[in-house]
Amino acid sequence: MKQSVYHTDDARWQAVETRDARADEQFVFGVITTGIFCRPSCRARHPLRQNVRFWHDADAAQAAGFRPCKRCQPEKAPLRQQRIALIRKACELLDASEEALTLDALAQEMAMSPYHFHRLFKSVTGLTPKAWQTARRNQRLRDALTHGEAVTPALYQAGFGSGSNFYRGADATLGMTAKQFRSGGKQLSLRYALVDCHVGRCLVAQSARGICAVLLGDDDAQLEAELAGLFPLAERHLAQNDFSDILEKVVACIHAPENRLDLPLDFQGTLFQQQVWEALRAIPAGETVSYQTLAAQVGKPNAVRAVASACGANRLAIIVPCHRVIRQDGQLSGYRWGVARKAALLQHEAKKET
C-alpha cells in the first residue's frame, strides 16, 4: 500500500498551516490548551505548534479526551463525501421516478436552493439533472432495443411520453433510427478519410449525426480495420474532396488541443461513459489527472477500473482527451493508440503551454 504523504508530524503540520483539504481524510489535529480537535482545513485561527497533537482519526482524538470543533465538525464525514451522498440520493430519486422531475422539486427534496443544487449536482456527476434524466432514459431505450424489444413498447417503457417526442430527437438519442439500432446498426452510413498529423496517421469518420471516430495509427489499412471493428454493420465510404474542411478542422484541433473542435460530435455510450468523457473534456490542455482523481470527479471514487475502461472505450482521440489521464504515481499507463503516442501528445501539449 502506498504510504500517505502525511505520515510525519512535520508533513501534517505543513498541511494544517496551509489548510490542505486533501489531508482531511488522513488525520485530525488537537490543541492541548483548548481540548478541541479539528480537520487540517479548519478555518479557525492557527494554534502554536507546541500545543498541537495529531491522530489518525476522530475516534482516536475523542478517546484521548478531546472534543470535536463545532466549526469544521471533524467527527462527521468530509464535506465532499457528504455532498456525494446527497447527490447519490438525488440520483436514486431520478432513477426511480417514472416521470421527469423538475429542478425545483429535486432541490426542495434535498433541502437546497435550485441554484446551489444544480451546481453541486453537475460538479459531482459531470451532468446537469436534466441531462442525467435524459441519459438514463436513453440508456433504458438502448438496453431494451439491444435485448430485442419492439420499438414502440421500448419507447414507452424507457419513459418517452409519446412516439413523436422520441422521433423528433431520435438522431440525438441513438445516433441512428431505432430500427437501425435494434438491428445492430444496419444501414448506418459512414464517411471517412485519412490524413497525416504530428503523431502519425489519423482516420476521421463521420455519421449523419457528427464526427463518430478519430483514430490514430501508423498504417492506413490498420486504421480502416479498426473502424470496421467499431462499426461492423455500417456502410463505410471513403470520402471525397468535400471532406477536406472537416479534416482540416480535426487536424487543427490535434495540433492545438486547447481549442475545442467546432463540429458536431457523435459519441454514444453508457451514462457512466458519457460522464467520464465529459469530465475528460474539462481537463485543460497541458494538464493531467490520475484515474483516481477522475473517478472522484464523476462521483464514483471506487470505480477506478470502470473509469479506465471508459477511457479505453473512447473513439474520439484527442477530441475526448483520454491521453491526459495517468497513473497516481505520475507514470504513463495504457493508451488505446499506444503509450509512445500518449507520451508524444503530452509532450506536445506541455511545449505549447510553456
Side-chain angles (χ1 to χ4, degrees):
M1 181 179 293
K2 185 178 179 180
Q3 192 174 38
S4 168
V5 297
Y6 309 106
H7 66 283
T8 67
D9 283 355
D10 286 343
R12 291 170 177 173
W13 176 243
Q14 178 66 29
V16 171
E17 283 193 309
T18 58
R19 294 188 171 92
D20 186 355
R22 295 173 298 180
D24 284 352
E25 298 180 46
Q26 304 298 320
F27 67 91
V28 297
F29 73 95
V31 184
I32 60 175
T33 54
T34 64
I36 294 173
F37 72 95
C38 302
R39 302 179 190 277
S41 65
C42 184
R43 307 307 297 179
R45 183 179 177 181
H46 282 143
L48 295 176
R49 173 65 183 88
Q50 62 266 29
N51 294 330
V52 172
R53 301 292 182 270
F54 301 102
W55 295 275
H56 289 295
D57 54 36
D59 290 342
Q62 289 177 309
F66 286 71
R67 63 186 185 277
C69 172
K70 293 183 179 180
R71 185 171 187 171
C72 67
Q73 299 180 318
E75 79 281 13
K76 296 183 178 179
L79 182 58
R80 176 160 181 81
Q81 288 186 15
Q82 295 179 41
R83 290 174 172 174
I84 290 174
L86 186 72
I87 298 306
R88 183 178 292 115
K89 179 181 177 182
C91 291
E92 291 172 354
L93 288 174
L94 290 172
D95 295 345
S97 177
E98 296 182 0
E99 298 180 355
L101 298 178
T102 66
L103 176 61
D104 288 344
L106 280 168
Q108 184 176 5
E109 188 70 28
M110 297 297 108
M112 298 178 68
S113 72
Y115 172 76
H116 285 100
F117 174 75
H118 188 277
R119 286 189 61 187
L120 179 59
F121 192 97
K122 187 171 183 180
S123 71
V124 172
T125 68
L127 299 173
T128 66
K130 182 178 180 180
W132 178 279
Q133 292 182 90
T134 299
R136 277 296 196 199
R137 183 182 63 179
N138 295 346
Q139 185 62 49
R140 287 195 295 268
L141 176 61
R142 285 194 291 268
D143 290 344
L145 295 175
T146 300
H147 288 87
E149 185 71 59
V151 174
T152 299
L155 295 180
Y156 289 101
Q157 291 173 18
F160 288 89
S162 67
S164 59
N165 287 339
F166 165 74
Y167 287 111
R168 279 196 296 268
D171 186 60
T173 301
L174 301 174
M176 62 189 80
T177 69
K179 288 185 177 180
Q180 286 176 335
F181 188 93
R182 186 169 180 266
S183 63
K186 289 180 179 178
Q187 301 175 5
L188 179 65
S189 181
L190 304 179
R191 295 194 305 158
Y192 73 94
L194 297 112
V195 66
D196 285 319
C197 67
H198 71 91
V199 286
R201 294 288 283 171
C202 175
L203 183 149
V204 180
Q206 181 189 48
S207 69
R209 185 169 178 249
I211 303 300
C212 60
V214 176
L215 312 178
L216 303 175
D218 299 310
D219 180 81
D220 288 2
Q222 181 182 1
L223 287 171
E224 288 179 317
E226 184 177 356
L227 181 67
L230 292 173
F231 302 95
L233 300 179
E235 295 180 1
R236 301 176 298 278
H237 307 282
L238 191 61
Q240 303 303 315
N241 294 334
D242 61 343
F243 208 71
S244 58
D245 288 345
I246 293 174
L247 285 180
E248 288 179 9
K249 288 184 177 181
V250 173
V251 171
C253 185
I254 293 174
H255 182 70
E258 65 275 12
N259 299 321
R260 283 208 169 194
L261 181 65
D262 184 24
L263 288 171
L265 301 179
D266 176 11
F267 54 99
Q268 294 297 321
T270 66
L271 174 61
F272 181 75
Q273 287 174 334
Q274 291 181 49
Q275 289 178 267
V276 173
W277 297 338
E278 285 299 324
L280 286 170
R281 298 187 75 200
I283 304 171
E287 297 184 13
T288 58
V289 301
S290 68
Y291 290 99
Q292 288 80 359
T293 298
L294 188 60
Q297 288 176 352
V298 299
K300 302 287 181 62
N302 297 321
V304 177
R305 288 190 177 182
V307 164
S309 295
C311 291
N314 173 36
R315 301 172 178 176
L316 297 171
I318 302 172
I319 309 305
V320 176
C322 55
H323 63 281
R324 295 177 192 156
V325 188
I326 60 176
R327 284 173 22 184
Q328 195 168 23
D329 61 5
Q331 298 298 310
L332 300 187
S333 55
Y335 184 53
R336 181 172 189 156
W337 296 284
V339 175
R341 187 167 281 109
K342 181 174 187 173
L345 290 169
L346 293 175
Q347 184 178 25
H348 174 75
E349 293 183 5
K351 286 182 179 177
K352 292 185 71 66
E353 291 298 309
T354 57

